[in-house]
PDB file of all heavy atoms in Angstrom:
ATOM      1  N   LEU A 256     -48.336  22.261  19.661  1.00  0.00           N
ATOM      2  CA  LEU A 256     -48.990  22.661  18.408  1.00  0.00           C
ATOM      3  C   LEU A 256     -50.387  22.055  18.245  1.00  0.00           C
ATOM      4  O   LEU A 256     -51.011  22.231  17.201  1.00  0.00           O
ATOM      5  CB  LEU A 256     -48.130  22.232  17.212  1.00  0.00           C
ATOM      6  CG  LEU A 256     -46.771  22.931  17.067  1.00  0.00           C
ATOM      7  CD1 LEU A 256     -45.945  22.258  15.989  1.00  0.00           C
ATOM      8  CD2 LEU A 256     -46.947  24.413  16.765  1.00  0.00           C
ATOM      9  N   GLU A 257     -50.865  21.389  19.261  1.00  0.00           N
ATOM     10  CA  GLU A 257     -52.148  20.692  19.143  1.00  0.00           C
ATOM     11  C   GLU A 257     -53.282  21.650  18.781  1.00  0.00           C
ATOM     12  O   GLU A 257     -54.121  21.350  17.936  1.00  0.00           O
ATOM     13  CB  GLU A 257     -52.473  19.967  20.454  1.00  0.00           C
ATOM     14  CG  GLU A 257     -53.644  19.028  20.349  1.00  0.00           C
ATOM     15  CD  GLU A 257     -53.811  18.159  21.587  1.00  0.00           C
ATOM     16  OE1 GLU A 257     -52.835  18.000  22.339  1.00  0.00           O
ATOM     17  OE2 GLU A 257     -54.919  17.638  21.794  1.00  0.00           O
ATOM     18  N   ALA A 258     -53.306  22.812  19.414  1.00  0.00           N
ATOM     19  CA  ALA A 258     -54.383  23.777  19.140  1.00  0.00           C
ATOM     20  C   ALA A 258     -54.293  24.301  17.713  1.00  0.00           C
ATOM     21  O   ALA A 258     -55.307  24.398  17.011  1.00  0.00           O
ATOM     22  CB  ALA A 258     -54.311  24.938  20.139  1.00  0.00           C
ATOM     23  N   GLU A 259     -53.078  24.640  17.260  1.00  0.00           N
ATOM     24  CA  GLU A 259     -52.907  25.152  15.894  1.00  0.00           C
ATOM     25  C   GLU A 259     -53.270  24.090  14.855  1.00  0.00           C
ATOM     26  O   GLU A 259     -53.886  24.398  13.831  1.00  0.00           O
ATOM     27  CB  GLU A 259     -51.457  25.610  15.676  1.00  0.00           C
ATOM     28  CG  GLU A 259     -51.100  26.922  16.339  1.00  0.00           C
ATOM     29  CD  GLU A 259     -50.605  26.735  17.764  1.00  0.00           C
ATOM     30  OE1 GLU A 259     -50.747  25.605  18.297  1.00  0.00           O
ATOM     31  OE2 GLU A 259     -50.091  27.715  18.351  1.00  0.00           O
ATOM     32  N   ARG A 260     -52.901  22.855  15.124  1.00  0.00           N
ATOM     33  CA  ARG A 260     -53.233  21.769  14.196  1.00  0.00           C
ATOM     34  C   ARG A 260     -54.743  21.588  14.104  1.00  0.00           C
ATOM     35  O   ARG A 260     -55.299  21.438  13.011  1.00  0.00           O
ATOM     36  CB  ARG A 260     -52.573  20.473  14.667  1.00  0.00           C
ATOM     37  CG  ARG A 260     -52.857  19.283  13.769  1.00  0.00           C
ATOM     38  CD  ARG A 260     -52.178  18.015  14.310  1.00  0.00           C
ATOM     39  NE  ARG A 260     -52.463  16.867  13.457  1.00  0.00           N
ATOM     40  CZ  ARG A 260     -53.558  16.127  13.551  1.00  0.00           C
ATOM     41  NH1 ARG A 260     -54.476  16.423  14.462  1.00  0.00           N
ATOM     42  NH2 ARG A 260     -53.756  15.107  12.726  1.00  0.00           N
ATOM     43  N   SER A 261     -55.400  21.602  15.237  1.00  0.00           N
ATOM     44  CA  SER A 261     -56.855  21.441  15.258  1.00  0.00           C
ATOM     45  C   SER A 261     -57.547  22.584  14.515  1.00  0.00           C
ATOM     46  O   SER A 261     -58.490  22.363  13.744  1.00  0.00           O
ATOM     47  CB  SER A 261     -57.353  21.367  16.698  1.00  0.00           C
ATOM     48  OG  SER A 261     -58.742  21.193  16.748  1.00  0.00           O
ATOM     49  N   GLU A 262     -57.071  23.805  14.726  1.00  0.00           N
ATOM     50  CA  GLU A 262     -57.644  24.967  14.035  1.00  0.00           C
ATOM     51  C   GLU A 262     -57.506  24.823  12.523  1.00  0.00           C
ATOM     52  O   GLU A 262     -58.423  25.161  11.760  1.00  0.00           O
ATOM     53  CB  GLU A 262     -56.954  26.247  14.502  1.00  0.00           C
ATOM     54  CG  GLU A 262     -57.336  26.694  15.902  1.00  0.00           C
ATOM     55  CD  GLU A 262     -56.546  27.922  16.335  1.00  0.00           C
ATOM     56  OE1 GLU A 262     -55.918  28.560  15.461  1.00  0.00           O
ATOM     57  OE2 GLU A 262     -56.543  28.238  17.540  1.00  0.00           O
ATOM     58  N   LEU A 263     -56.350  24.327  12.090  1.00  0.00           N
ATOM     59  CA  LEU A 263     -56.116  24.157  10.655  1.00  0.00           C
ATOM     60  C   LEU A 263     -57.068  23.117  10.066  1.00  0.00           C
ATOM     61  O   LEU A 263     -57.681  23.343   9.021  1.00  0.00           O
ATOM     62  CB  LEU A 263     -54.660  23.742  10.418  1.00  0.00           C
ATOM     63  CG  LEU A 263     -54.273  23.399   8.971  1.00  0.00           C
ATOM     64  CD1 LEU A 263     -54.552  24.566   8.037  1.00  0.00           C
ATOM     65  CD2 LEU A 263     -52.808  22.974   8.895  1.00  0.00           C
ATOM     66  N   ILE A 264     -57.194  22.002  10.736  1.00  0.00           N
ATOM     67  CA  ILE A 264     -58.071  20.936  10.233  1.00  0.00           C
ATOM     68  C   ILE A 264     -59.521  21.404  10.180  1.00  0.00           C
ATOM     69  O   ILE A 264     -60.226  21.183   9.178  1.00  0.00           O
ATOM     70  CB  ILE A 264     -57.928  19.677  11.115  1.00  0.00           C
ATOM     71  CG1 ILE A 264     -56.548  19.052  10.896  1.00  0.00           C
ATOM     72  CG2 ILE A 264     -59.028  18.660  10.795  1.00  0.00           C
ATOM     73  CD1 ILE A 264     -56.235  17.887  11.790  1.00  0.00           C
ATOM     74  N   LEU A 265     -59.976  22.073  11.236  1.00  0.00           N
ATOM     75  CA  LEU A 265     -61.365  22.548  11.264  1.00  0.00           C
ATOM     76  C   LEU A 265     -61.604  23.617  10.204  1.00  0.00           C
ATOM     77  O   LEU A 265     -62.696  23.688   9.618  1.00  0.00           O
ATOM     78  CB  LEU A 265     -61.708  23.075  12.656  1.00  0.00           C
ATOM     79  CG  LEU A 265     -61.729  22.017  13.773  1.00  0.00           C
ATOM     80  CD1 LEU A 265     -61.999  22.678  15.123  1.00  0.00           C
ATOM     81  CD2 LEU A 265     -62.755  20.936  13.480  1.00  0.00           C
ATOM     82  N   LYS A 266     -60.579  24.437   9.950  1.00  0.00           N
ATOM     83  CA  LYS A 266     -60.702  25.459   8.903  1.00  0.00           C
ATOM     84  C   LYS A 266     -60.868  24.798   7.531  1.00  0.00           C
ATOM     85  O   LYS A 266     -61.682  25.245   6.706  1.00  0.00           O
ATOM     86  CB  LYS A 266     -59.460  26.361   8.901  1.00  0.00           C
ATOM     87  CG  LYS A 266     -59.391  27.383   7.769  1.00  0.00           C
ATOM     88  CD  LYS A 266     -60.449  28.447   7.926  1.00  0.00           C
ATOM     89  CE  LYS A 266     -60.361  29.504   6.808  1.00  0.00           C
ATOM     90  NZ  LYS A 266     -59.161  30.355   6.901  1.00  0.00           N
ATOM     91  N   ILE A 267     -60.124  23.745   7.291  1.00  0.00           N
ATOM     92  CA  ILE A 267     -60.218  23.042   6.004  1.00  0.00           C
ATOM     93  C   ILE A 267     -61.586  22.382   5.846  1.00  0.00           C
ATOM     94  O   ILE A 267     -62.229  22.488   4.793  1.00  0.00           O
ATOM     95  CB  ILE A 267     -59.105  21.985   5.883  1.00  0.00           C
ATOM     96  CG1 ILE A 267     -57.730  22.661   5.801  1.00  0.00           C
ATOM     97  CG2 ILE A 267     -59.326  21.118   4.628  1.00  0.00           C
ATOM     98  CD1 ILE A 267     -56.560  21.696   5.853  1.00  0.00           C
ATOM     99  N   ILE A 268     -62.046  21.700   6.885  1.00  0.00           N
ATOM    100  CA  ILE A 268     -63.294  20.949   6.790  1.00  0.00           C
ATOM    101  C   ILE A 268     -64.500  21.871   6.642  1.00  0.00           C
ATOM    102  O   ILE A 268     -65.369  21.655   5.802  1.00  0.00           O
ATOM    103  CB  ILE A 268     -63.475  20.026   8.018  1.00  0.00           C
ATOM    104  CG1 ILE A 268     -62.352  18.985   8.068  1.00  0.00           C
ATOM    105  CG2 ILE A 268     -64.847  19.343   7.969  1.00  0.00           C
ATOM    106  CD1 ILE A 268     -62.344  18.143   9.325  1.00  0.00           C
ATOM    107  N   GLY A 269     -64.559  22.929   7.454  1.00  0.00           N
ATOM    108  CA  GLY A 269     -65.689  23.850   7.396  1.00  0.00           C
ATOM    109  C   GLY A 269     -66.978  23.224   7.902  1.00  0.00           C
ATOM    110  O   GLY A 269     -66.962  22.203   8.603  1.00  0.00           O
ATOM    111  N   GLU A 270     -68.102  23.824   7.526  1.00  0.00           N
ATOM    112  CA  GLU A 270     -69.411  23.312   7.933  1.00  0.00           C
ATOM    113  C   GLU A 270     -69.834  22.158   7.029  1.00  0.00           C
ATOM    114  O   GLU A 270     -69.717  22.239   5.802  1.00  0.00           O
ATOM    115  CB  GLU A 270     -70.459  24.431   7.858  1.00  0.00           C
ATOM    116  CG  GLU A 270     -70.228  25.572   8.851  1.00  0.00           C
ATOM    117  CD  GLU A 270     -70.413  25.139  10.284  1.00  0.00           C
ATOM    118  OE1 GLU A 270     -71.249  24.241  10.531  1.00  0.00           O
ATOM    119  OE2 GLU A 270     -69.705  25.679  11.166  1.00  0.00           O
ATOM    120  N   VAL A 271     -70.307  21.083   7.633  1.00  0.00           N
ATOM    121  CA  VAL A 271     -70.724  19.917   6.855  1.00  0.00           C
ATOM    122  C   VAL A 271     -71.831  20.302   5.871  1.00  0.00           C
ATOM    123  O   VAL A 271     -72.822  20.941   6.244  1.00  0.00           O
ATOM    124  CB  VAL A 271     -71.226  18.790   7.793  1.00  0.00           C
ATOM    125  CG1 VAL A 271     -71.796  17.638   6.972  1.00  0.00           C
ATOM    126  CG2 VAL A 271     -70.090  18.298   8.682  1.00  0.00           C
TER     127      VAL A 271
END
Side-chain angles (χ1 to χ4, degrees):
L256 294 171
E257 190 171 339
E259 285 89 349
R260 180 181 179 276
S261 181
E262 287 176 14
L263 175 58
I264 290 175
L265 294 177
K266 174 68 178 291
I267 293 173
I268 297 173
E270 294 293 328
V271 174

